[in-house]
Amino acid sequence: MYKLDLNELYFEFFIWGYDDITHEDITKLLNINPTMIYIKGKPMNPKMKILAKKNGWRIDNPLDNKSLFEDQLNAMLDLLEPKIEILQMLSKKYGCEYEFSLALFIYNRKESTPWVHLTPRYNEFIRQIEVEFDLDLYCPPDDEEMSETE
């Protein structure tokens, strides 16, 4: 076991709620390989019993999870902005819903809490494709240790 010493940000992009197109079709259209796919009615994770309520397609941020939020946001926008027309088509034709998900883990109370600023660039992107933003904040007790497998 070890004590985590730095706060972590997990920033991901999801496409949810499609039934008339496959995961593979979305991958080909966007020319981006997903980190994970979710199948409606199947477990969301092999370690969990929670079932996916909708079909889903997810990409994780290409940067390290200890990177600044602004850097992670810009890296994700670099991937997705060139795909705006495709994302707009997926939304109109297949009813896809989009979500940015940020899980913020505060392990070190001595380290500055990460800043989450949504920039004009982000605002323009979400205006064009109507992306929801989901923020989950986790603050385990100072004495909680994590195993290396968690």
Side-chain angles (χ1 to χ4, degrees):
M1 291 204 177
Y2 66 100
K3 180 82 173 172
L4 295 170
D5 58 350
L6 295 175
N7 298 324
E8 296 180 351
L9 298 160
Y10 292 87
F11 191 53
E12 304 159 335
F13 178 76
F14 290 85
I15 300 175
W16 292 110
Y18 50 89
D19 291 319
D20 297 331
I21 189 171
T22 68
H23 306 300
E24 293 82 11
D25 292 334
I26 292 172
T27 300
K28 286 178 190 172
L29 283 167
L30 293 174
N31 196 27
I32 299 172
N33 289 322
T35 306
M36 184 171 283
I37 60 169
Y38 304 93
I39 300 169
K40 185 178 179 178
K42 302 281 184 183
M44 292 187 72
N45 181 320
K47 299 175 185 178
M48 299 168 40
K49 294 183 180 180
I50 298 172
L51 302 180
K53 294 179 184 175
K54 301 176 184 180
N55 288 325
W57 185 96
R58 182 185 99 202
I59 55 172
D60 292 350
N61 194 287
L63 300 181
D64 181 85
N65 61 5
K66 292 179 178 29
S67 299
L68 296 174
F69 173 75
E70 184 174 3
D71 294 341
Q72 290 194 38
L73 174 63
N74 285 328
M76 194 68 81
L77 290 175
D78 289 345
L79 283 174
L80 296 172
E81 281 176 331
K83 314 294 184 179
I84 284 176
E85 289 181 8
I86 297 166
L87 293 167
Q88 288 171 330
M89 180 276 299
L90 288 171
S91 179
K92 288 178 186 170
K93 189 170 182 180
Y94 301 106
C96 294
E97 304 159 7
Y98 305 112
E99 175 185 315
F100 277 121
S101 175
L102 174 63
L104 176 55
F105 290 82
I106 306 296
Y107 295 115
N108 183 344
R109 305 300 192 290
K110 294 175 186 167
E111 180 186 4
S112 177
T113 303
W115 290 47
V116 177
H117 293 275
L118 301 175
T119 63
R121 181 181 179 196
Y122 167 83
N123 291 332
E124 178 61 20
F125 180 78
I126 66 163
R127 184 191 64 75
Q128 292 185 52
I129 66 163
E130 298 182 24
V131 180
E132 289 187 14
F133 187 84
D134 176 42
L135 171 63
D136 295 321
L137 182 60
Y138 301 95
C139 299
D142 284 337
D143 61 351
E144 184 174 309
E145 291 184 350
M146 303 283 290
S147 70
E148 289 185 34
T149 59
E150 291 187 76

